[in-house]
Amino acid sequence: MNMAINPPHNGVDPEVQVFLQDVISGLSRDQKTLPCKYLYDESGSRLFERICELKDYYVTRTEADIFSGKLEQMASAIGPDALIIEPGAGNCEKVEPLLEELTSPAGYMPMDISPEILLAARARIQARLPNLHIHAAVGDFTARAVWDELPAMKARRRVIFFPGSTIGNFDPDQASVLLSSFANRLSTGDALLIGTDLDKDPVVLERAYNDSEQVTARFNKNLLKRINTELGADFDLSMFSHRSFYHPIRQRVEMHLVSLADQSVHIRGETFHFREGETIHTENSHKYTLEGFKTLLKSVGFSTAYQWTDPSNHYAIHFAEVY
Ligand SMILES: C[S@@+](CC[C@H](N)C(=O)[O-])C[C@H]1O[C@@H](n2cnc3c(N)ncnc32)[C@H](O)[C@@H]1O
């Protein structure tokens, strides 16, 4: 198993160092911001699992319905002896039925930044599919290291599985860079099976990210708790509130933490001032149209063979091949 976590050097854990730098640089901007990948420590990943079960959060349910209705078609589009690679695999629940449907899969390579959830998922899948070759990689899928062992994984065809609308967390420019990096790690004939949330009624969108049980609010605020625990900061969680809203021009739902007063926060010798009402931008969830996403895929080297949607056109799963 690849555990891409470097050992501490001279008492300084390099991962904590990078986290600290990212937090300091994000909070030093005019619009304070924090990278959304840090939302997923162990508690954040567990809270995200609860979000996926919420009635208001239609994304997971709708995607699951498309998967269960089209599983046979997806497996036949992928074909036999394929290696499935899943960046940002989380609890790996969505891939299980697909792995079971595929003919003699060559292997499964889940990747995630959050080791606890990934390693638990790996054990669960291995128990269910004892003959499947699984190689779990802990690390950042936007960096090279986590992909380094891919060439050693032999298969007739490699397929990147990227569900959950995780691509929506990237701005369109960054999404293009990421998808292009996926294409570059594959060869002609390899493929991508990817889920995107579709643009729709803002009422539906805003309800999904402001659920009545406040789980999304806890998920968002957990990031400040994590910064307190891991970086010794002194955020007062009761002085920040959760806000999500749809931005029609940017076609995205933005998630922020709002400062409820003028206040200062200290992190390892640095002081950050917040005005009352000032926000920290913590996540974007971009929404696509079917045609828009097809064009984006084409521009980075994938030709779309299938687009499956639900009856309300709320969500889409795209199957595209490297050309
Ligand atoms: C929106 S969740 C989706 C999880 C799962 N694929 C699904 O569809 O339910 C995003 C997952 O990607 C992981 N993640 C986010 N950014 C990442 C990054 N840059 N590198 C590795 N994993 C990342 C998170 O830890 C989380 O498990």
Side-chain angles (χ1 to χ4, degrees), residues 221 224-225 228 234-243 256-265 273-280:
K221 285 173 87 168
L224 301 185
K225 197 166 160 193
N228 282 351
D234 59 358
F235 277 104
D236 178 349
L237 269 61
S238 68
M239 296 309 289
F240 287 86
S241 69
H242 162 79
R243 182 190 294 159
H256 292 250
L257 287 161
V258 187
S259 174
L260 298 176
D262 290 343
Q263 57 182 316
S264 297
V265 173
H273 300 288
F274 291 81
R275 296 182 311 279
E276 183 178 350
E278 187 177 359
T279 73
I280 311 174

Short mmCIF file of all heavy atoms in Angstrom, two decimals, residues 221 224-225 228 234-243 256-265 273-280:
data_model
loop_
_atom_site.label_atom_id
_atom_site.label_comp_id
_atom_site.label_asym_id
_atom_site.label_seq_id
_atom_site.Cartn_x
_atom_site.Cartn_y
_atom_site.Cartn_z
N LYS A 221 -17.85 24.68 9.40
CA LYS A 221 -17.16 25.20 10.59
C LYS A 221 -16.09 24.24 11.12
O LYS A 221 -15.17 24.65 11.82
CB LYS A 221 -18.19 25.51 11.69
CG LYS A 221 -18.97 26.78 11.38
CD LYS A 221 -20.09 27.01 12.35
CE LYS A 221 -19.66 27.76 13.57
NZ LYS A 221 -20.79 28.23 14.39
N LEU A 224 -12.52 25.34 10.71
CA LEU A 224 -11.89 26.23 11.71
C LEU A 224 -11.43 25.41 12.92
O LEU A 224 -10.36 25.66 13.48
CB LEU A 224 -12.89 27.30 12.16
CG LEU A 224 -13.44 28.20 11.05
CD1 LEU A 224 -14.32 29.30 11.64
CD2 LEU A 224 -12.30 28.82 10.23
N LYS A 225 -12.25 24.42 13.28
CA LYS A 225 -11.88 23.55 14.41
C LYS A 225 -10.57 22.82 14.09
O LYS A 225 -9.68 22.70 14.92
CB LYS A 225 -13.02 22.53 14.59
CG LYS A 225 -13.04 21.81 15.89
CD LYS A 225 -14.39 21.13 16.01
CE LYS A 225 -14.37 20.02 17.00
NZ LYS A 225 -15.57 19.19 16.89
N ASN A 228 -7.68 25.11 14.46
CA ASN A 228 -7.37 25.26 15.89
C ASN A 228 -6.58 24.06 16.39
O ASN A 228 -5.53 24.20 17.04
CB ASN A 228 -8.66 25.36 16.72
CG ASN A 228 -9.29 26.74 16.64
OD1 ASN A 228 -8.69 27.68 16.11
ND2 ASN A 228 -10.50 26.88 17.14
N ASP A 234 -6.73 30.17 17.34
CA ASP A 234 -7.74 30.44 18.38
C ASP A 234 -9.05 30.96 17.79
O ASP A 234 -9.63 31.91 18.30
CB ASP A 234 -7.17 31.40 19.44
CG ASP A 234 -6.73 32.73 18.84
OD1 ASP A 234 -6.85 32.91 17.60
OD2 ASP A 234 -6.30 33.61 19.62
N PHE A 235 -9.51 30.35 16.69
CA PHE A 235 -10.83 30.70 16.16
C PHE A 235 -11.88 30.41 17.22
O PHE A 235 -11.89 29.31 17.80
CB PHE A 235 -11.16 29.83 14.94
CG PHE A 235 -10.57 30.31 13.64
CD1 PHE A 235 -9.48 29.68 13.08
CD2 PHE A 235 -11.14 31.40 12.98
CE1 PHE A 235 -8.94 30.11 11.88
CE2 PHE A 235 -10.61 31.83 11.76
CZ PHE A 235 -9.51 31.20 11.22
N ASP A 236 -12.78 31.37 17.46
CA ASP A 236 -13.95 31.12 18.31
C ASP A 236 -15.09 30.72 17.38
O ASP A 236 -15.64 31.57 16.67
CB ASP A 236 -14.28 32.41 19.09
CG ASP A 236 -15.52 32.24 19.96
OD1 ASP A 236 -16.24 31.24 19.81
OD2 ASP A 236 -15.76 33.14 20.79
N LEU A 237 -15.42 29.42 17.36
CA LEU A 237 -16.39 28.91 16.38
C LEU A 237 -17.75 29.57 16.52
O LEU A 237 -18.49 29.68 15.54
CB LEU A 237 -16.53 27.39 16.50
CG LEU A 237 -15.59 26.57 15.61
CD1 LEU A 237 -14.14 26.82 15.90
CD2 LEU A 237 -15.90 25.09 15.72
N SER A 238 -18.08 30.03 17.74
CA SER A 238 -19.40 30.64 17.93
C SER A 238 -19.46 32.03 17.29
O SER A 238 -20.53 32.62 17.19
CB SER A 238 -19.74 30.72 19.42
OG SER A 238 -18.88 31.66 20.03
N MET A 239 -18.32 32.55 16.85
CA MET A 239 -18.28 33.89 16.25
C MET A 239 -18.23 33.83 14.72
O MET A 239 -17.92 34.82 14.06
CB MET A 239 -17.08 34.68 16.79
CG MET A 239 -17.17 34.96 18.27
SD MET A 239 -18.76 35.68 18.75
CE MET A 239 -18.59 37.30 18.04
N PHE A 240 -18.51 32.66 14.15
CA PHE A 240 -18.60 32.51 12.69
C PHE A 240 -19.87 31.74 12.35
O PHE A 240 -20.26 30.83 13.09
CB PHE A 240 -17.37 31.75 12.15
CG PHE A 240 -16.12 32.57 12.16
CD1 PHE A 240 -15.33 32.63 13.31
CD2 PHE A 240 -15.74 33.31 11.04
CE1 PHE A 240 -14.18 33.41 13.34
CE2 PHE A 240 -14.58 34.09 11.07
CZ PHE A 240 -13.80 34.15 12.22
N SER A 241 -20.49 32.12 11.24
CA SER A 241 -21.66 31.35 10.82
C SER A 241 -21.50 30.89 9.38
O SER A 241 -20.71 31.46 8.61
CB SER A 241 -22.94 32.17 10.99
OG SER A 241 -22.95 33.21 10.06
N HIS A 242 -22.26 29.88 9.03
CA HIS A 242 -22.21 29.26 7.69
C HIS A 242 -23.12 30.03 6.73
O HIS A 242 -24.22 30.40 7.09
CB HIS A 242 -22.68 27.81 7.84
CG HIS A 242 -23.10 27.15 6.56
ND1 HIS A 242 -22.20 26.64 5.67
CD2 HIS A 242 -24.33 26.93 6.03
CE1 HIS A 242 -22.85 26.11 4.64
NE2 HIS A 242 -24.14 26.28 4.83
N ARG A 243 -22.63 30.26 5.50
CA ARG A 243 -23.50 30.84 4.47
C ARG A 243 -23.19 30.20 3.12
O ARG A 243 -22.02 30.14 2.73
CB ARG A 243 -23.28 32.35 4.35
CG ARG A 243 -24.23 32.98 3.32
CD ARG A 243 -23.87 34.42 3.00
NE ARG A 243 -24.05 35.31 4.11
CZ ARG A 243 -23.44 36.50 4.24
NH1 ARG A 243 -22.61 36.91 3.29
NH2 ARG A 243 -23.66 37.25 5.29
N HIS A 256 -19.32 29.97 2.40
CA HIS A 256 -18.49 30.92 3.15
C HIS A 256 -18.68 30.72 4.65
O HIS A 256 -19.69 30.16 5.09
CB HIS A 256 -18.91 32.37 2.82
CG HIS A 256 -18.60 32.80 1.42
ND1 HIS A 256 -17.63 33.73 1.11
CD2 HIS A 256 -19.14 32.45 0.23
CE1 HIS A 256 -17.59 33.92 -0.20
NE2 HIS A 256 -18.51 33.16 -0.76
N LEU A 257 -17.73 31.26 5.42
CA LEU A 257 -17.90 31.40 6.87
C LEU A 257 -17.91 32.89 7.15
O LEU A 257 -17.01 33.62 6.71
CB LEU A 257 -16.75 30.72 7.61
CG LEU A 257 -16.82 29.18 7.58
CD1 LEU A 257 -15.46 28.57 7.89
CD2 LEU A 257 -17.88 28.67 8.55
N VAL A 258 -18.94 33.36 7.86
CA VAL A 258 -19.13 34.79 8.05
C VAL A 258 -18.72 35.18 9.47
O VAL A 258 -19.19 34.56 10.44
CB VAL A 258 -20.63 35.16 7.85
CG1 VAL A 258 -20.81 36.67 7.89
CG2 VAL A 258 -21.18 34.56 6.57
N SER A 259 -17.88 36.20 9.57
CA SER A 259 -17.48 36.68 10.89
C SER A 259 -18.65 37.46 11.51
O SER A 259 -19.19 38.38 10.89
CB SER A 259 -16.25 37.59 10.76
OG SER A 259 -15.96 38.16 12.01
N LEU A 260 -19.03 37.09 12.73
CA LEU A 260 -20.20 37.72 13.36
C LEU A 260 -19.84 38.99 14.13
O LEU A 260 -20.72 39.61 14.72
CB LEU A 260 -20.88 36.71 14.29
CG LEU A 260 -21.43 35.46 13.57
CD1 LEU A 260 -22.01 34.47 14.55
CD2 LEU A 260 -22.47 35.86 12.52
N ALA A 261 -18.56 39.37 14.13
CA ALA A 261 -18.14 40.59 14.85
C ALA A 261 -16.78 41.02 14.32
O ALA A 261 -16.12 40.26 13.60
CB ALA A 261 -18.00 40.28 16.35
N ASP A 262 -16.36 42.23 14.64
CA ASP A 262 -14.96 42.60 14.41
C ASP A 262 -14.14 41.74 15.38
O ASP A 262 -14.45 41.71 16.58
CB ASP A 262 -14.73 44.08 14.76
CG ASP A 262 -15.40 45.00 13.74
OD1 ASP A 262 -15.73 44.53 12.65
OD2 ASP A 262 -15.60 46.18 14.07
N GLN A 263 -13.14 41.06 14.88
CA GLN A 263 -12.39 40.17 15.77
C GLN A 263 -11.01 39.86 15.17
O GLN A 263 -10.77 40.10 13.98
CB GLN A 263 -13.14 38.86 16.01
CG GLN A 263 -13.49 38.09 14.74
CD GLN A 263 -14.29 36.82 15.02
OE1 GLN A 263 -13.96 36.06 15.94
NE2 GLN A 263 -15.31 36.56 14.22
N SER A 264 -10.11 39.35 16.01
CA SER A 264 -8.78 38.95 15.54
C SER A 264 -8.57 37.48 15.88
O SER A 264 -9.04 37.00 16.91
CB SER A 264 -7.68 39.75 16.24
OG SER A 264 -7.83 41.10 15.92
N VAL A 265 -7.84 36.80 14.99
CA VAL A 265 -7.54 35.39 15.21
C VAL A 265 -6.03 35.22 15.07
O VAL A 265 -5.40 35.86 14.22
CB VAL A 265 -8.28 34.52 14.16
CG1 VAL A 265 -7.84 33.07 14.24
CG2 VAL A 265 -9.79 34.64 14.33
N HIS A 273 -7.18 39.92 11.06
CA HIS A 273 -8.32 40.72 11.52
C HIS A 273 -9.52 40.42 10.64
O HIS A 273 -9.39 40.29 9.42
CB HIS A 273 -7.99 42.21 11.46
CG HIS A 273 -6.81 42.55 12.33
ND1 HIS A 273 -6.88 42.56 13.70
CD2 HIS A 273 -5.53 42.86 12.01
CE1 HIS A 273 -5.68 42.85 14.19
NE2 HIS A 273 -4.84 43.03 13.18
N PHE A 274 -10.68 40.33 11.27
CA PHE A 274 -11.94 40.12 10.54
C PHE A 274 -12.89 41.26 10.91
O PHE A 274 -13.07 41.55 12.09
CB PHE A 274 -12.61 38.81 10.98
CG PHE A 274 -11.86 37.58 10.54
CD1 PHE A 274 -10.76 37.12 11.25
CD2 PHE A 274 -12.26 36.87 9.42
CE1 PHE A 274 -10.08 35.98 10.84
CE2 PHE A 274 -11.59 35.74 9.01
CZ PHE A 274 -10.49 35.29 9.72
N ARG A 275 -13.48 41.87 9.87
CA ARG A 275 -14.56 42.83 10.13
C ARG A 275 -15.86 42.06 10.31
O ARG A 275 -16.00 40.96 9.76
CB ARG A 275 -14.74 43.81 8.96
CG ARG A 275 -13.54 44.71 8.71
CD ARG A 275 -13.84 45.68 7.56
NE ARG A 275 -14.39 44.99 6.39
CZ ARG A 275 -13.68 44.33 5.48
NH1 ARG A 275 -12.35 44.27 5.59
NH2 ARG A 275 -14.26 43.74 4.45
N GLU A 276 -16.82 42.67 11.02
CA GLU A 276 -18.13 42.03 11.13
C GLU A 276 -18.72 41.87 9.72
O GLU A 276 -18.70 42.82 8.93
CB GLU A 276 -19.06 42.89 11.99
CG GLU A 276 -20.41 42.24 12.19
CD GLU A 276 -21.35 43.06 13.07
OE1 GLU A 276 -20.89 44.05 13.70
OE2 GLU A 276 -22.54 42.70 13.11
N GLY A 277 -19.17 40.70 9.38
CA GLY A 277 -19.76 40.44 8.06
C GLY A 277 -18.74 39.98 7.02
O GLY A 277 -19.13 39.52 5.94
N GLU A 278 -17.45 40.12 7.30
CA GLU A 278 -16.43 39.66 6.35
C GLU A 278 -16.47 38.12 6.29
O GLU A 278 -16.78 37.46 7.28
CB GLU A 278 -15.05 40.13 6.84
CG GLU A 278 -13.97 39.85 5.84
CD GLU A 278 -12.60 40.39 6.29
OE1 GLU A 278 -12.49 41.00 7.38
OE2 GLU A 278 -11.64 40.17 5.53
N THR A 279 -16.13 37.59 5.11
CA THR A 279 -16.26 36.13 4.99
C THR A 279 -14.93 35.45 4.63
O THR A 279 -14.03 36.08 4.07
CB THR A 279 -17.29 35.74 3.90
OG1 THR A 279 -16.74 36.00 2.60
CG2 THR A 279 -18.61 36.47 4.07
N ILE A 280 -14.88 34.17 4.94
CA ILE A 280 -13.84 33.28 4.42
C ILE A 280 -14.54 32.38 3.40
O ILE A 280 -15.53 31.72 3.74
CB ILE A 280 -13.22 32.37 5.50
CG1 ILE A 280 -12.82 33.16 6.75
CG2 ILE A 280 -12.04 31.60 4.94
CD1 ILE A 280 -12.35 32.26 7.91
#
